[in-house]
Amino acid sequence: MASLVIIEGPGKGACLPLNEPLVSVGRDDTCTFQVLDPLVSRKHLQVRTDAETGRHLAADYRSANGISVNDKLLVLEAGGPQRAAP
């Protein structure tokens, strides 16, 4: 099963399973996974599972610090999908 792993900060080592079609991560108590770290925005990111392909799609909620996947910062293309920065 796919999961998110916290690699730095107070929750370091925590594994967040992606076992729902849509999960949200942030400090806010309405998020699927609440991460109490000052570097995490109230609503930081969401991960959606594509029902047809089973792929997981991460989207930043325009958080102050962005999100990284496999040590690559994701950047938002104007009007397009997110991609890993070089």
Side-chain angles (χ1 to χ4, degrees):
M1 171 186 303
S3 60
L4 295 174
V5 177
I6 298 175
I7 58 172
E8 292 181 21
K12 184 177 180 177
C15 184
L16 314 174
L18 300 177
N19 55 3
E20 296 180 27
L22 180 67
V23 297
S24 58
V25 179
R27 289 193 331 264
D28 197 276
D29 62 3
T30 63
C31 292
T32 309
F33 297 114
Q34 187 178 29
V35 179
L36 300 176
D37 183 324
L39 295 177
V40 174
S41 298
R42 285 183 312 104
K43 294 197 175 187
H44 200 92
L45 74 116
Q46 71 174 12
V47 180
R48 180 175 57 87
T49 304
D50 185 295
E52 291 182 23
T53 66
R55 293 179 64 179
H56 300 285
L57 308 167
D60 192 330
Y61 281 127
R62 302 218 185 265
S63 62
N65 292 314
I67 58 176
S68 297
V69 174
N70 297 330
D71 292 326
K72 293 189 181 212
L73 183 66
L74 293 185
V75 294
L76 182 64
E77 298 281 335
Q82 295 190 1
R83 64 173 178 80

XYZ file of all heavy atoms in Angstrom:
636
model
N 0.848 -1.184 0.000
C 0.000 0.000 0.000
C 0.889 1.242 0.000
O 1.886 1.308 0.706
C -0.883 -0.002 1.245
C -1.640 1.283 1.434
S -2.569 1.417 2.959
C -3.602 -0.002 2.835
N 0.528 2.212 -0.796
C 1.264 3.471 -0.859
C 1.065 4.252 0.426
O 0.034 4.135 1.096
C 0.783 4.287 -2.056
N 2.064 5.065 0.763
C 1.964 5.864 1.978
C 2.843 7.105 1.850
O 3.723 7.169 1.002
C 2.384 5.050 3.197
O 3.722 4.622 3.052
N 2.558 8.076 2.709
C 3.414 9.245 2.860
C 4.233 9.011 4.119
O 3.711 8.504 5.114
C 2.584 10.514 3.042
C 1.708 10.950 1.885
C 0.843 12.134 2.305
C 2.556 11.336 0.690
N 5.495 9.399 4.092
C 6.356 9.251 5.263
C 6.893 10.624 5.625
O 7.415 11.343 4.762
C 7.523 8.280 4.984
C 8.442 8.190 6.190
C 6.994 6.906 4.614
N 6.777 10.979 6.883
C 7.317 12.248 7.366
C 8.810 12.032 7.595
O 9.203 11.152 8.364
C 6.601 12.709 8.641
C 5.123 12.933 8.332
C 7.256 13.975 9.199
C 4.272 13.283 9.524
N 9.651 12.831 6.918
C 11.090 12.606 6.986
C 11.830 13.615 7.860
O 13.005 13.438 8.138
C 11.713 12.565 5.576
C 11.442 13.858 4.826
C 11.192 11.377 4.796
C 12.188 13.971 3.508
N 11.139 14.672 8.294
C 11.753 15.673 9.168
C 10.711 16.207 10.130
O 9.524 16.155 9.852
C 12.308 16.846 8.358
C 13.487 16.525 7.495
C 14.000 17.748 6.746
O 13.725 18.886 7.176
O 14.669 17.565 5.730
N 11.178 16.756 11.236
C 10.290 17.436 12.164
C 9.735 16.544 13.250
O 10.145 15.393 13.405
N 8.768 17.080 13.999
C 8.228 16.383 15.162
C 7.633 15.004 14.857
O 7.721 14.110 15.675
C 7.137 17.325 15.685
C 7.467 18.659 15.129
C 8.187 18.408 13.833
N 7.073 14.811 13.685
C 6.449 13.530 13.354
C 7.374 12.595 12.582
O 6.915 11.616 11.990
N 8.676 12.878 12.583
C 9.632 12.115 11.788
C 9.429 10.611 11.935
O 9.313 10.098 13.044
C 11.064 12.471 12.179
C 12.111 11.801 11.330
C 13.499 12.248 11.707
C 14.535 11.553 10.823
N 15.877 12.032 11.120
N 9.348 9.934 10.785
C 9.180 8.485 10.775
C 7.735 8.023 10.697
O 7.472 6.863 10.420
N 6.787 8.936 10.910
C 5.369 8.550 10.842
C 5.015 8.168 9.403
O 5.450 8.798 8.445
C 4.478 9.693 11.318
N 4.223 7.122 9.277
C 3.797 6.615 7.974
C 2.295 6.846 7.844
O 1.516 6.394 8.689
C 4.131 5.132 7.888
S 3.754 4.406 6.304
N 1.890 7.573 6.815
C 0.493 7.919 6.604
C -0.031 7.116 5.415
O 0.297 7.420 4.269
C 0.348 9.422 6.343
C 1.119 10.360 7.284
C 0.992 11.798 6.827
C 0.643 10.192 8.708
N -0.815 6.054 5.655
C -1.279 5.215 4.554
C -2.275 5.933 3.643
O -3.128 6.679 4.104
C -1.949 4.039 5.257
C -2.338 4.563 6.596
C -1.320 5.616 6.944
N -2.122 5.720 2.354
C -3.018 6.322 1.363
C -4.099 5.311 1.013
O -4.170 4.793 -0.092
C -2.223 6.739 0.127
C -1.117 7.754 0.376
C -0.340 8.036 -0.895
C -1.675 9.037 0.963
N -4.951 5.035 1.985
C -5.964 3.994 1.817
C -7.364 4.546 1.570
O -8.337 3.816 1.669
C -5.953 3.044 3.009
C -6.123 3.763 4.325
O -6.297 4.970 4.358
N -6.065 3.026 5.414
N -7.469 5.830 1.260
C -8.741 6.458 0.914
C -8.573 7.140 -0.447
O -7.461 7.500 -0.819
C -9.139 7.487 1.974
C -9.396 6.879 3.341
C -9.793 7.928 4.370
O -10.358 8.972 3.975
O -9.525 7.710 5.544
N -9.659 7.348 -1.184
C -9.538 7.985 -2.509
C -8.968 9.408 -2.452
O -8.348 9.871 -3.392
C -10.963 8.016 -3.044
C -11.736 7.063 -2.215
C -11.027 6.944 -0.901
N -9.171 10.107 -1.338
C -8.674 11.469 -1.176
C -8.253 11.650 0.277
O -9.060 11.421 1.186
C -9.758 12.484 -1.549
C -9.371 13.953 -1.432
C -8.314 14.316 -2.470
C -10.594 14.834 -1.596
N -7.002 12.036 0.488
C -6.537 12.331 1.841
C -5.961 13.737 1.843
O -5.422 14.216 0.838
C -5.489 11.313 2.350
C -6.075 9.930 2.449
C -4.245 11.307 1.505
N -6.101 14.403 2.965
C -5.540 15.740 3.124
C -4.577 15.722 4.301
O -4.737 14.946 5.244
C -6.654 16.771 3.354
O -7.418 16.425 4.495
N -3.567 16.579 4.218
C -2.538 16.648 5.252
C -2.340 18.105 5.629
O -2.259 18.979 4.759
C -1.200 16.064 4.748
C -0.124 16.163 5.822
C -1.370 14.625 4.287
N -2.264 18.373 6.929
C -2.018 19.729 7.406
C -2.167 19.807 8.906
O -2.444 18.802 9.571
N -1.992 21.006 9.454
C -2.149 21.199 10.897
C -3.616 21.239 11.321
O -3.947 20.971 12.468
C -1.470 22.502 11.330
C 0.028 22.456 11.298
C 0.675 23.644 12.017
N -0.109 24.859 12.011
C 0.023 25.863 11.151
N 0.933 25.802 10.197
N -0.721 26.930 11.232
N -4.497 21.582 10.407
C -5.923 21.729 10.721
C -6.523 20.389 11.158
O -6.217 19.345 10.572
C -6.662 22.253 9.496
C -8.017 22.819 9.841
O -8.962 22.023 9.942
O -8.110 24.044 10.005
N -7.380 20.432 12.176
C -7.969 19.180 12.680
C -9.007 18.582 11.738
O -9.487 17.480 11.963
C -8.538 19.350 14.087
C -9.669 20.354 14.177
O -10.086 20.917 13.145
O -10.148 20.583 15.301
N -9.320 19.267 10.644
C -10.241 18.691 9.658
C -9.500 17.846 8.611
O -10.139 17.179 7.807
C -11.037 19.795 8.928
O -10.134 20.625 8.199
C -11.854 20.627 9.906
N -8.171 17.879 8.614
C -7.384 17.104 7.650
C -7.445 15.622 7.997
O -7.534 15.239 9.165
C -5.929 17.573 7.651
S -5.717 19.234 6.981
N -7.360 14.781 6.979
C -7.311 13.340 7.200
C -6.146 12.995 8.116
O -6.283 12.188 9.039
C -7.135 12.596 5.854
O -8.111 13.059 4.925
C -7.273 11.096 6.032
N -4.974 13.599 7.855
C -3.793 13.412 8.692
C -3.360 14.762 9.228
O -2.955 15.632 8.462
C -2.642 12.781 7.903
C -2.954 11.410 7.389
C -3.058 11.180 6.039
C -3.155 10.358 8.269
C -3.338 9.914 5.556
C -3.449 9.093 7.794
C -3.539 8.867 6.439
N -3.468 14.919 10.536
C -3.052 16.166 11.166
C -1.577 16.047 11.540
O -1.174 15.101 12.220
C -3.900 16.443 12.406
C -3.637 17.804 13.006
C -4.514 18.087 14.215
O -4.902 17.168 14.921
N -4.822 19.333 14.440
N -0.772 16.999 11.059
C 0.654 17.028 11.345
C 0.943 18.312 12.104
O 0.823 19.406 11.548
C 1.484 16.961 10.039
C 2.969 17.024 10.347
C 1.139 15.700 9.253
N 1.299 18.179 13.363
C 1.509 19.340 14.218
C 2.967 19.784 14.153
O 3.769 19.516 15.036
C 1.087 19.019 15.655
C -0.381 18.632 15.799
C -0.706 18.232 17.238
C -1.285 19.756 15.335
N 3.288 20.460 13.072
C 4.633 20.966 12.829
C 4.477 22.389 12.328
O 3.686 22.641 11.412
C 5.315 20.081 11.780
C 6.750 20.487 11.497
O 7.067 21.695 11.507
O 7.569 19.594 11.239
N 5.210 23.358 12.903
C 5.045 24.747 12.468
C 5.400 24.989 10.998
O 4.976 25.977 10.415
C 5.977 25.535 13.393
C 6.886 24.541 14.009
C 6.186 23.222 13.982
N 6.157 24.087 10.374
C 6.496 24.242 8.957
C 5.416 23.694 8.031
O 5.498 23.840 6.814
C 7.827 23.557 8.648
C 9.046 24.165 9.346
C 10.295 23.371 9.018
C 9.213 25.627 8.974
N 4.401 23.059 8.609
C 3.282 22.517 7.836
C 2.135 23.510 7.893
O 1.776 23.996 8.964
C 2.841 21.139 8.395
C 1.591 20.637 7.712
C 3.983 20.138 8.258
N 1.567 23.829 6.748
C 0.430 24.759 6.690
C -0.829 24.114 7.275
O -0.910 22.898 7.387
C 0.167 25.171 5.240
O 1.273 25.853 4.709
N -1.818 24.955 7.605
C -3.086 24.415 8.122
C -3.653 23.390 7.162
O -4.107 22.329 7.560
C -4.116 25.537 8.352
C -3.869 26.371 9.565
C -4.951 27.423 9.803
N -5.297 28.205 8.619
C -6.408 28.035 7.904
N -7.308 27.147 8.248
N -6.635 28.777 6.851
N -3.670 23.723 5.903
C -4.063 22.780 4.852
C -2.895 22.769 3.881
O -2.724 23.695 3.106
C -5.367 23.200 4.192
C -6.514 23.121 5.174
C -7.843 23.117 4.512
C -8.905 22.917 5.592
N -10.205 22.736 5.062
N -2.091 21.718 3.931
C -0.816 21.702 3.225
C -0.896 21.005 1.870
O -0.465 21.545 0.875
C 0.235 21.018 4.103
C 1.631 21.348 3.720
N 2.320 22.393 4.292
C 2.466 20.786 2.822
C 3.522 22.454 3.758
N 3.643 21.482 2.858
N -1.452 19.784 1.844
C -1.529 19.067 0.579
C -2.653 18.057 0.601
O -3.191 17.714 1.653
C -0.209 18.351 0.262
C 0.101 17.100 1.076
C 0.152 15.888 0.156
C 1.421 17.251 1.788
N -3.004 17.603 -0.588
C -3.965 16.509 -0.721
C -3.371 15.478 -1.670
O -2.573 15.815 -2.543
C -5.319 16.977 -1.225
C -5.341 17.389 -2.667
C -6.748 17.715 -3.159
O -7.676 17.846 -2.385
N -6.885 17.850 -4.451
N -3.741 14.229 -1.463
C -3.331 13.158 -2.364
C -4.594 12.436 -2.795
O -5.377 11.974 -1.963
C -2.353 12.174 -1.692
C -1.957 11.070 -2.671
C -1.119 12.908 -1.177
N -4.782 12.379 -4.116
C -5.959 11.723 -4.691
C -5.497 10.464 -5.404
O -4.472 10.463 -6.101
C -6.640 12.674 -5.671
C -7.875 12.114 -6.342
C -8.561 13.154 -7.217
N -7.725 13.719 -8.244
C -7.557 13.184 -9.457
N -8.180 12.062 -9.785
N -6.781 13.761 -10.350
N -6.255 9.393 -5.240
C -5.960 8.155 -5.954
C -6.855 8.074 -7.178
O -8.079 8.165 -7.056
C -6.201 6.924 -5.051
O -5.414 7.068 -3.868
C -5.823 5.641 -5.761
N -6.254 7.956 -8.348
C -7.003 7.821 -9.586
C -7.627 6.434 -9.619
O -6.918 5.426 -9.589
C -6.076 8.025 -10.779
C -6.819 8.023 -12.099
O -7.392 6.960 -12.454
O -6.817 9.060 -12.774
N -8.943 6.371 -9.662
C -9.664 5.094 -9.604
C -9.344 4.182 -10.789
O -9.326 2.965 -10.640
C -11.172 5.341 -9.537
N -9.083 4.753 -11.950
C -8.815 3.939 -13.136
C -7.403 3.370 -13.159
O -7.193 2.215 -13.511
C -9.062 4.760 -14.402
C -10.529 5.072 -14.631
C -10.743 5.857 -15.921
O -9.880 5.791 -16.819
O -11.784 6.524 -16.013
N -6.429 4.193 -12.784
C -5.028 3.771 -12.896
C -4.411 3.336 -11.572
O -3.380 2.677 -11.571
C -4.159 4.903 -13.468
O -4.139 5.987 -12.522
C -4.680 5.371 -14.815
N -5.021 3.765 -10.471
C -4.445 3.477 -9.158
C -3.281 4.386 -8.803
O -2.692 4.252 -7.737
N -2.959 5.340 -9.673
C -1.863 6.283 -9.396
C -2.290 7.294 -8.355
O -3.447 7.670 -8.264
C -1.460 7.003 -10.678
C -0.833 6.068 -11.689
C -0.459 6.781 -12.942
N 0.583 7.766 -12.628
C 1.135 8.555 -13.531
N 0.741 8.507 -14.778
N 2.068 9.407 -13.188
N -1.317 7.767 -7.589
C -1.556 8.769 -6.552
C -1.089 10.124 -7.068
O 0.032 10.255 -7.561
C -0.819 8.402 -5.273
C -1.245 7.087 -4.740
N -2.453 6.885 -4.101
C -0.657 5.880 -4.782
C -2.569 5.634 -3.768
N -1.492 4.990 -4.166
N -1.962 11.112 -6.975
C -1.684 12.453 -7.482
C -1.643 13.426 -6.311
O -2.645 13.597 -5.614
C -2.764 12.863 -8.485
C -3.005 11.839 -9.608
C -4.278 12.163 -10.364
C -1.820 11.795 -10.540
N -0.490 14.054 -6.094
C -0.330 15.003 -4.997
C -0.587 16.412 -5.493
O -0.185 16.774 -6.597
C 1.076 14.910 -4.422
N -1.249 17.203 -4.677
C -1.503 18.603 -5.007
C -1.267 19.461 -3.772
O -1.746 19.146 -2.683
C -2.936 18.789 -5.496
N -0.497 20.503 -3.948
C -0.191 21.446 -2.880
C -1.375 22.403 -2.728
O -1.928 22.872 -3.719
C 1.071 22.211 -3.277
C 1.688 23.015 -2.161
O 0.944 23.463 -1.274
O 2.900 23.216 -2.188
N -1.766 22.687 -1.494
C -2.827 23.665 -1.237
C -2.241 25.080 -1.219
O -2.707 25.936 -0.508
C -3.479 23.407 0.118
C -4.493 22.295 0.166
C -4.368 21.283 1.110
C -5.594 22.277 -0.669
C -5.317 20.270 1.204
C -6.530 21.273 -0.582
C -6.389 20.272 0.356
O -7.316 19.278 0.444
N -1.177 25.312 -2.009
C -0.454 26.589 -2.034
C 0.142 26.893 -0.658
O 0.079 28.016 -0.166
C -1.336 27.728 -2.526
C -1.882 27.472 -3.917
C -1.911 28.755 -4.717
N -2.528 28.545 -6.003
C -1.852 28.289 -7.106
N -0.562 28.178 -7.070
N -2.463 28.132 -8.255
N 0.723 25.861 -0.072
C 1.359 25.995 1.230
C 2.608 26.859 1.115
O 3.186 27.003 0.033
C 1.739 24.618 1.772
O 2.679 24.002 0.911
N 3.032 27.428 2.235
C 4.203 28.309 2.238
C 5.490 27.572 1.892
O 6.377 28.129 1.249
C 4.339 28.970 3.611
N 5.614 26.307 2.281
C 6.863 25.566 2.081
C 6.820 24.546 0.957
O 7.810 23.872 0.704
C 7.262 24.879 3.386
C 7.658 25.888 4.430
O 8.404 26.806 4.158
N 7.120 25.751 5.625
N 5.697 24.399 0.277
C 5.595 23.462 -0.828
C 5.631 22.011 -0.379
O 5.585 21.707 0.813
N 5.701 21.108 -1.343
C 5.774 19.677 -1.044
C 6.861 19.043 -1.908
O 7.166 19.528 -2.998
C 4.425 18.948 -1.246
C 3.910 19.096 -2.677
C 3.394 19.423 -0.254
C 2.631 18.323 -2.966
N 7.444 17.971 -1.400
C 8.475 17.236 -2.127
C 8.045 15.800 -2.291
O 7.424 15.223 -1.407
C 9.804 17.273 -1.365
O 10.280 18.587 -1.265
N 8.381 15.221 -3.427
C 8.151 13.813 -3.680
C 9.490 13.227 -4.117
O 10.110 13.736 -5.057
C 7.080 13.591 -4.768
C 6.962 12.119 -5.122
C 5.740 14.151 -4.312
N 9.934 12.205 -3.418
C 11.246 11.597 -3.710
C 12.347 12.652 -3.768
O 13.161 12.679 -4.681
C 11.204 10.779 -4.998
C 10.252 9.610 -4.892
O 10.049 9.072 -3.811
N 9.662 9.223 -5.998
N 12.340 13.545 -2.773
C 13.340 14.609 -2.629
C 13.322 15.649 -3.745
O 14.269 16.392 -3.927
C 14.757 14.033 -2.503
C 14.952 13.288 -1.202
O 14.350 13.700 -0.195
O 15.687 12.296 -1.201
N 12.235 15.715 -4.510
C 12.106 16.743 -5.541
C 10.927 17.639 -5.190
O 9.829 17.160 -4.948
C 11.905 16.121 -6.918
C 13.123 15.362 -7.392
C 12.973 14.951 -8.819
C 14.222 14.182 -9.197
N 14.568 14.367 -10.566
N 11.169 18.943 -5.171
C 10.122 19.906 -4.878
C 9.128 19.936 -6.028
O 9.524 19.987 -7.198
C 10.728 21.296 -4.684
C 9.758 22.408 -4.307
C 9.173 22.154 -2.916
C 10.460 23.748 -4.332
N 7.839 19.886 -5.714
C 6.810 19.987 -6.756
C 6.498 21.451 -6.991
O 6.398 22.237 -6.068
C 5.536 19.257 -6.331
C 5.619 17.754 -6.202
C 4.249 17.183 -5.903
C 6.168 17.113 -7.454
N 6.349 21.813 -8.253
C 6.005 23.187 -8.601
C 4.743 23.181 -9.443
O 4.492 22.257 -10.201
C 7.149 23.900 -9.363
C 8.350 24.073 -8.476
C 7.521 23.161 -10.625
N 3.942 24.223 -9.294
C 2.677 24.328 -10.017
C 2.889 25.081 -11.321
O 3.395 26.196 -11.333
C 1.645 25.047 -9.151
C 0.258 25.202 -9.754
C -0.373 23.835 -9.972
C -0.615 26.043 -8.841
N 2.531 24.450 -12.401
C 2.552 25.107 -13.707
C 1.248 25.888 -13.833
O 0.190 25.368 -13.495
C 2.613 24.061 -14.820
C 3.852 23.197 -14.796
C 5.047 23.908 -15.377
O 4.864 24.820 -16.199
O 6.162 23.547 -15.005
N 1.299 27.099 -14.313
C 0.088 27.906 -14.468
C -0.921 27.163 -15.335
O -0.641 26.839 -16.474
C 0.436 29.251 -15.097
N -2.053 26.848 -14.754
C -3.122 26.201 -15.485
C -2.866 24.735 -15.796
O -3.626 24.121 -16.512
N -1.794 24.173 -15.268
C -1.455 22.793 -15.602
C -1.176 21.955 -14.382
O -1.378 22.391 -13.259
N -0.694 20.745 -14.615
C -0.417 19.840 -13.503
C 0.852 20.216 -12.762
O 1.643 21.028 -13.240
C -0.247 18.497 -14.194
C 0.269 18.865 -15.551
C -0.399 20.166 -15.885
N 1.040 19.608 -11.610
C 2.267 19.831 -10.872
C 3.337 18.909 -11.425
O 3.063 17.832 -11.912
C 2.029 19.590 -9.387
C 1.062 20.599 -8.839
C 0.957 20.568 -7.349
O 1.623 19.807 -6.689
N 0.121 21.409 -6.815
N 4.578 19.353 -11.355
C 5.684 18.533 -11.818
C 6.835 18.680 -10.843
O 6.906 19.637 -10.095
C 6.137 18.963 -13.220
C 6.679 20.361 -13.257
C 7.279 20.709 -14.620
N 7.749 22.072 -14.638
C 8.894 22.494 -14.125
N 9.693 21.663 -13.533
N 9.230 23.761 -14.190
N 7.746 17.733 -10.864
C 8.923 17.799 -10.019
C 9.918 18.778 -10.619
O 10.187 18.749 -11.807
C 9.551 16.422 -9.888
N 10.449 19.652 -9.774
C 11.459 20.591 -10.238
C 12.769 19.840 -10.459
O 13.049 18.878 -9.763
C 11.649 21.701 -9.200
N 13.587 20.263 -11.417
C 14.862 19.572 -11.674
C 15.826 19.689 -10.512
O 15.761 20.522 -9.714
C 15.396 20.252 -12.927
C 14.591 21.468 -13.162
C 13.365 21.370 -12.321
